[in-house]
Amino acid sequence: MTVERFVLFPGRHHLLTRFQAEYLRGLGGTVVWAVTSANHQNTKRNPVPYDRREAAIERFSVSEGLRSLVVPVFDTAHTDRFAGVTLKSVESGLGLRLTPADTVVACSTPEVAAMYEALGFEIAGVETGRDPAPARPWDVLLMLAAGDPAWRELAHPATLDVFDRYRLDEQVRLVVNDPVVGEEGGLTTTRDYRTYAEAFEASAERKWDLVRRHVRPGRIVDVGCGAGAVLGLADREPALRESDLIGVEVARHLYEECVHRKAQGWFTNPNVYFYCRNVLGGAVFPARSIDTTLTFALTHEIWSYGQRMASLRTFAAAIYEHTVPGGVWINSDVCGPDGRDLPVRLLLQGAPKEPVSLDGLTRDEIAAHVEGLSPRARLDRFAADFHFPLPFAERGDSVELALGDAMEFLTHKDYPDNWLSEAHEQFCGLEFADWKALLTDVGFEVDGASHVWRNDWIVDNRIAPVATLSTADGAPMDWPVTHVLLVARRPLNT
């Protein structure tokens, strides 16, 4: 009896090359394409979705006369048992148990190849050990992202066909060259998205109550929608039952939760859609196509992770462009106090403490360290970790600093679980007057419902019990505003 031979070809397979076709034809046997990170897309490490990768592999196989089987392998944390995980995924997905007796592993990554060798598999090195070395698929993908047209001479026609039909070359350039989004599809690697999503869920009803009366029915977009909590509340509004509800989320973890919720019937409106996109990378929606845009706790992130006012202006202009005449952008976020450069004195409980290095500490260890600091010592810690200048001077038992900087610390100090992530974000970059000037400049009319306000719960429970604010001369001061609600409308005649 003839034993069927297999070639296990693990990899992300975002792009297929002409060299791979020649090489695989020479190996013979059925090629088992184990497509790793199959549950990832729209990230720098994985810019192409699995279904497009699978389509290119199937087209590649037909054109080259290869018998192929394709199986998705979900991403896992780094493990020295990666080879075993992949083999189990093949067995689970295809009902096929590959063994060293019937399978050779095609792999050009030494660390991965060593894992299969340890299990007894023979290794076919693909691009390794050749002089000159052929271009690896990822290198060809980076050529595409860099705008080098030579990538088309190296990529297989099957990849070219799928990329051209689905305009994936534009998507790859957008994602790989994105200056804001990290390799895993989020703004930062130090954020605990579980606690972040939980906090967003807890405040969703308050946020919706704040904005619901300003929402214009039609096509409603929540940019930075998190796990979809606010859209879930919009879904329950009878007045919006004929509207399209659209969520845009850059963080892959949160986007995947939105898709999961939709699949589980969390929304009753059939016209609910989600996009995993970074709106700073280019237009997501056609011009004059959106009736209402919602943004919650987003614009300070664009300011912080982008190029400050330049990025925020680009974002505001993009929203103006996709808004229909008479449409509205409703933005709720943190805000700097009026007169944020005013010198003030801040009296904090506890004593100063020289910050220690956090290098090598886990998120949990950093959280425990910050929790153990007094408010005054936490100021020293925050000034060391904050990604923006925060100068202050000792004035007896107080510190003197700008009012905006004082509020930066006081509104950041109670996030030890995401300390380094929060220290990357500036809450008080703009005050109300700055916002009105920006919105007017890009073409919006600022509705009279726009206003700043103070979160008294934060003041009463987190700030006032441990801090006292006074003028530079020592006169007591009331706590300033902390948040802004902006209702900006595109004029009907534009």
Side-chain angles (χ1 to χ4, degrees):
M1 184 175 84
T2 302
V3 177
E4 186 174 5
R5 302 291 298 177
F6 298 97
V7 177
L8 174 61
F9 197 8
R12 288 177 284 166
H13 299 307
H14 292 285
L15 182 146
L16 309 174
T17 65
R18 299 174 193 267
F19 171 79
Q20 286 177 322
E22 177 185 347
Y23 187 85
L24 291 173
R25 285 198 307 267
L27 289 181
T30 297
V31 182
V32 179
W33 302 76
V35 183
T36 58
S37 298
N39 57 323
H40 284 194
Q41 63 177 331
N42 207 56
T43 70
K44 289 188 177 183
R45 192 165 67 91
N46 296 290
V48 181
Y50 169 73
D51 57 346
R52 306 301 187 221
R53 291 184 255 172
E54 183 184 32
I57 291 169
E58 295 287 6
R59 188 165 180 79
F60 174 99
S61 301
V62 170
S63 67
E64 296 299 332
L66 295 173
R67 184 173 187 269
S68 289
L69 298 168
V70 188
V71 62
V73 180
F74 280 18
D75 195 61
T76 62
H78 180 76
T79 173
D80 56 7
R81 294 179 291 178
F82 171 77
V85 169
T86 302
L87 290 167
K88 290 177 181 177
S89 295
V90 171
E91 185 173 359
S92 173
L94 300 176
L96 183 64
R97 186 173 187 181
L98 302 178
T99 70
D102 59 23
T103 302
V104 61
V105 177
C107 181
S108 59
T109 305
E111 296 83 357
V112 176
M115 296 180 190
Y116 286 100
E117 280 187 308
L119 298 177
F121 287 89
E122 177 187 351
I123 304 299
V126 199
E127 294 94 0
T128 57
R130 296 176 176 272
D131 189 20
R136 297 177 181 237
W138 188 253
D139 295 329
V140 180
L141 193 84
L142 293 180
M143 291 170 63
L144 183 167
D148 184 348
W151 79 274
R152 299 185 70 90
E153 301 302 319
L154 298 170
H156 190 273
T159 283
L160 295 177
D161 174 64
V162 173
F163 273 46
D164 288 346
R165 281 190 288 131
Y166 292 100
R167 298 195 298 182
L168 293 178
D169 52 345
E170 298 177 16
Q171 173 70 7
V172 168
R173 290 191 188 99
L174 176 66
V175 173
V176 173
N177 296 321
D178 194 313
V180 177
V181 180
E183 288 195 355
E184 298 305 324
L187 293 174
T188 170
T189 59
T190 58
R191 174 175 287 170
D192 180 348
Y193 281 100
R194 178 184 58 81
T195 58
Y196 181 80
E198 288 173 354
F200 199 96
E201 298 284 311
S203 62
E205 288 195 16
R206 174 179 57 80
K207 292 174 178 176
W208 180 242
D209 286 342
L210 183 68
V211 306
R212 60 192 296 270
R213 66 185 178 277
H214 305 297
V215 172
R216 168 175 163 152
R219 301 191 77 209
I220 300 168
V221 175
D222 184 357
V223 181
C225 66
V230 170
L231 284 180
L233 295 171
D235 178 62
R236 301 172 195 169
E237 290 282 343
L240 303 179
R241 63 182 180 275
E242 299 296 329
S243 295
D244 290 353
L245 305 179
I246 305 166
V248 180
E249 177 53 56
V250 66
R252 175 182 53 81
H253 315 69
L254 301 176
Y255 163 76
E256 289 174 352
E257 179 60 23
C258 291
V259 174
H260 173 72
R261 284 179 162 179
K262 180 179 177 181
Q264 295 298 311
W266 208 62
F267 299 93
T268 59
N269 186 333
N271 296 312
V272 177
Y273 309 95
F274 293 100
Y275 296 88
C276 189
R277 293 286 189 276
N278 171 24
V279 292
L280 291 181
V284 177
F285 303 103
R288 302 185 177 200
S289 67
I290 302 300
D291 293 277
T292 299
T293 300
L294 303 171
T295 52
F296 299 95
L298 174 71
T299 49
H300 78 273
E301 293 190 340
I302 292 172
W303 169 280
S304 301
Y305 290 98
Q307 301 300 315
R308 313 297 183 260
M309 182 60 83
S311 294
L312 201 54
R313 181 178 297 276
T314 297
F315 178 71
I319 292 182
Y320 179 85
E321 183 66 18
H322 79 214
T323 301
V324 301
V328 61
W329 173 23
I330 308 168
N331 178 32
S332 172
D333 206 348
V334 288
C335 183
D338 294 339
R340 63 184 184 280
D341 295 327
L342 176 72
V344 298
R345 290 194 180 187
L346 188 63
L347 175 62
L348 297 165
Q349 289 182 355
K353 185 174 183 179
E354 184 72 20
V356 300
S357 173
L358 301 181
D359 292 346
L361 298 185
T362 66
R363 184 190 290 117
D364 289 343
E365 289 170 337
I366 292 172
H369 171 72
V370 174
E371 285 276 17
L373 298 175
S374 70
R376 177 61 187 85
R378 213 175 280 197
L379 173 63
D380 294 315
R381 175 79 267 163
F382 182 69
D385 298 328
F386 195 40
H387 283 238
F388 303 83
L390 200 144
F392 62 88
E394 302 286 350
R395 294 288 186 266
D397 57 357
S398 301
V399 294
E400 185 171 301
L401 71 176
L403 176 59
D405 290 340
M407 294 308 296
E408 287 288 357
F409 166 66
L410 292 171
T411 52
H412 277 85
K413 69 180 181 62
D414 294 290
Y415 295 104
D417 289 345
N418 287 302
W419 182 257
L420 294 183
S421 174
E422 294 294 338
H424 205 307
E425 299 180 10
Q426 188 173 32
F427 294 174
C428 301
L430 296 181
E431 57 187 77
F432 192 34
D434 299 324
W435 266 114
K436 290 188 288 187
L438 171 61
L439 293 172
T440 302
D441 192 47
V442 299
F444 283 109
E445 294 178 344
V446 181
D447 191 285
S450 302
H451 65 280
V452 287
W453 56 285
R454 187 178 72 185
N455 187 320
D456 287 330
W457 186 93
I458 291 177
V459 170
D460 295 341
N461 292 276
R462 293 181 173 177
I463 297 178
V466 299
T468 302
L469 186 68
S470 61
T471 67
D473 297 330
M477 290 181 63
D478 197 9
W479 297 107
V481 299
T482 57
H483 290 73
V484 65
L485 174 68
L486 295 158
V487 181
R489 301 187 186 278
R490 179 167 179 164
L492 284 169
N493 60 349
T494 59

